[in-house]
Every structure is written in C-alpha cells, then in structure tokens.
Amino acid sequence: NNFYLDVDEETAFSDGTNGVFEVNNLYITNTTDPSSKRVQIASSNNSSQGINTLRVTGDLDISAGAGLTLAAGSELIVLGNLVDNNTSSGNVVLKSESNKFSSLKVAGTSSGNFFKYQLFINDINSSAGGGWDLKGSPLDTATANGNHFANNGSGSYAFQAFDNSTASYTQQSTSGAISAVNAKGYAAAKDNSNSGGTVAFTGQIQDSNTTIEVTNNVSSSGDKKQFNLIANPFSTFIAANNTARDASDATESVIYRNATDDDVMGHADGEDVIWAWNGTSYSTITNAGSASFLAPGQGFFISMDGDGD
C-alpha cells in the first residue's frame, strides 16, 4: 500500500535543521493502483521544526504506474538523476497550499514529461483577504487548463501575461491547455467561494539554469513600461537576495546576479529590487534586506535598466 515518510519527531530537529530521511538509490515500482498506493512525503506537523525531507544521494527511478506525492511543506532532494517512466500525468504530484509549497530539487539531470505541480492560486474575490495572484509555472514546458482559472463569463480567463509595451495585461481566451512560457509571470486567479485553490501544471522538472528576455519600453516618465512580470521557473525555492543566499546553500541570488553582476535590473535609482505581491499589496525585496526566498512558481515584477538593451 502506501509508504509514508514523516520524520517530524522532536529529536530529529535538535540541531534546528529539517527532519531528513536519507537513502542511496531509490526505485519506486509500478502498482495496479498508483492513485492510492504510492510513496508519500508528509507535510510537517510543526512548522517551527522545519519540514520533512527525503534525500536521495544517488538516482531516483520511478516506474511507469508508480506513484510519488510531495505534500505541501515537504521536500525531495535528488543528488543524482531522476527518471520518471510514466507516460501520462498524475502519478508524480507536488502539492501546495496558500502558505506552504512542496519542493523538488534535482542536482543531476531529469527525464519525464508528466510531473504535476498543484500550484495554489488566490481567489479572485478581494473580500477573501487577497484577490488575484502573480504566478508562473514551476515546471518546464508546462501546460495548464484555462478553464481552471476564474473567468468573466465572456471567454476571458484569469491567467494573463503583462505587456509592457502597453503597460496592460493580455487577455487569455484559451479554455483548454495553455502552454505557460518558461520563467514568465502571469496575473492569475481562481473563483472558489473566496477560498482560492490549486491549478495543476504538468511538465518537466527544470534542472538547469534558465533565462528570460526582459525589455524596457519607457517613452515618457512614469508610464511603467520598464516593468517585466516574471516567475520562479523551478520546483524549489530560490534566493531572492544575498541575505537569503548566505543563509542557505544557494550560490547566487536573483538580485545580485541581475542587478549587480549583469546590471540588468533598475530603470532608475532604487529600482534594483523585486516587487512581490503579498495578496493585498506589493512588498519590495532589496539585496540588503532580510532573507527572502521566492516560492516555486511565484511571480514578481522587476524593472529593466534604463538603456533598454
């Protein structure tokens, strides 16, 4: 039946780290019922004690028909290669909630096209304490169904890219499969009785560095056309600033790499920051501020440098 991993014991966190269960190579065999018989990494019951982590020091091989679930607030680290042999979506699932996300990091290479990340999206009704969201796909070459987002009743769905040539959002009219552009951010919303909910993105694990083109279309002062809506394209958290880099095993941060090292960010003084939506307003993340991490699929705005290259 199921194998549940839950190392959320007091003794497991005596040094303040996550509860870690470590294996060498892991092979998950097929089953007649992968929906109910699978390896499941549980969400931690005590957020102050960290998260449940399964670390595979070798390779992870998932047979066709085998199941793997990462609960919101759990983590899987594969130091070798990951192979998913499933030929349809739904057997390898990563989950998230409004304030918790699952994380899958592959140090080697990965193969398989049918990983599913159930990404939490805010409800469109602002009375729920939020309203809309900034999101992108946490998987590579992923698709999501347009009719899983809120719609206005006239064929427009709430998964809309930002066009800085007009400083406006582009209407989304696709009710079926939408191909999410890798690392691109979207204004997104669910319509679920003020509660929000998840939308399934199906695709590949992003296991290498990635880039996205940004532009600056400013024609007059204050027209906001230097802004680009992008998103964390990984199924794991990334360091937004150097404080987060230094507090983790990250080797770089988004702001340092793009505002200092490559000098891409910042149309004007003070704009070498990240604008992240907190559900009701924008919060700014600076390189010298407190440690800030970007969740899988989290969208955010950056301002491109003033020369427009």
Side-chain angles (χ1 to χ4, degrees):
N1 293 318
N2 287 287
F3 172 72
Y4 291 96
L5 173 64
D6 187 355
V7 289
D8 190 18
E9 300 287 344
E10 290 287 343
T11 55
F13 300 93
S14 59
D15 61 354
T17 61
N18 298 342
V20 179
F21 185 86
E22 187 172 274
V23 298
N24 187 9
N25 295 305
L26 179 61
Y27 179 67
I28 306 176
T29 64
N30 64 317
T31 175
T32 56
D33 188 7
S35 64
S36 63
K37 297 178 181 180
R38 55 179 56 224
V39 172
Q40 303 198 50
I41 306 177
S43 177
S44 173
N45 294 320
N46 189 334
S47 59
S48 66
Q49 294 182 334
I51 60 177
N52 288 323
T53 298
L54 171 62
R55 185 163 58 207
V56 182
T57 60
D59 298 332
L60 170 58
D61 192 295
I62 304 169
S63 174
L68 171 67
T69 298
L70 279 68
S74 70
E75 178 182 51
L76 171 61
I77 300 172
V78 181
L79 299 183
N81 301 321
L82 188 157
V83 178
D84 174 29
N85 293 288
N86 284 291
T87 56
S88 61
S89 61
N91 285 4
V92 182
V93 181
L94 294 84
K95 296 186 175 183
S96 66
E97 299 173 2
S98 60
N99 60 349
K100 290 196 296 186
F101 297 80
S102 57
S103 175
L104 171 57
K105 178 180 179 181
V106 180
T109 61
S110 64
S111 61
N113 300 313
F114 299 104
F115 296 91
K116 180 182 289 185
Y117 201 112
Q118 295 179 345
L119 189 65
F120 184 88
I121 309 289
N122 278 343
D123 195 84
I124 198 168
N125 191 332
S126 59
S127 67
W132 286 85
D133 217 336
L134 299 182
K135 296 290 184 180
S137 173
L139 298 173
D140 189 20
T141 60
T143 60
N145 271 11
N147 59 14
H148 291 168
F149 297 93
N151 69 82
N152 64 356
S154 301
S156 181
Y157 297 88
F159 190 66
Q160 303 175 357
F162 181 76
D163 181 359
N164 69 359
S165 66
T166 59
S168 62
Y169 291 95
T170 303
Q171 298 298 304
Q172 175 60 254
S173 60
T174 303
S175 61
I178 299 171
S179 296
V181 177
N182 191 29
K184 192 177 188 68
Y186 300 83
K190 288 279 288 180
D191 189 0
N192 188 32
S193 302
N194 298 343
S195 299
T198 60
V199 171
F201 288 80
T202 302
Q204 303 167 324
I205 298 298
Q206 182 73 256
D207 58 11
S208 61
N209 289 339
T210 188
T211 60
I212 184 170
E213 182 179 0
V214 292
T215 57
N216 186 322
N217 288 302
V218 171
S219 56
S220 60
S221 178
D223 66 9
K224 306 298 184 183
K225 294 180 180 180
Q226 74 269 34
F227 289 103
N228 293 260
L229 178 54
I230 55 183
N232 175 6
F234 300 103
S235 55
T236 186
F237 288 82
I238 57 175
N241 55 11
N242 277 3
T243 315
R245 178 200 65 187
D246 296 341
S248 67
D249 62 355
T251 56
E252 286 196 85
S253 72
V254 175
I255 295 178
Y256 179 85
R257 174 61 186 265
N258 294 285
T260 305
D261 194 25
D262 285 348
D263 199 20
V264 173
M265 291 168 60
H267 170 73
D269 290 343
E271 287 192 352
D272 51 347
V273 303
I274 285 173
W275 281 267
W277 182 250
N278 62 23
T280 55
S281 62
Y282 285 100
S283 299
T284 56
I285 302 172
T286 66
N287 200 40
S290 58
S292 295
F293 295 89
L294 299 168
Q298 181 176 351
F300 54 95
F301 276 99
I302 63 109
S303 163
M304 190 190 169
D305 67 333
D307 62 20
D309 291 340

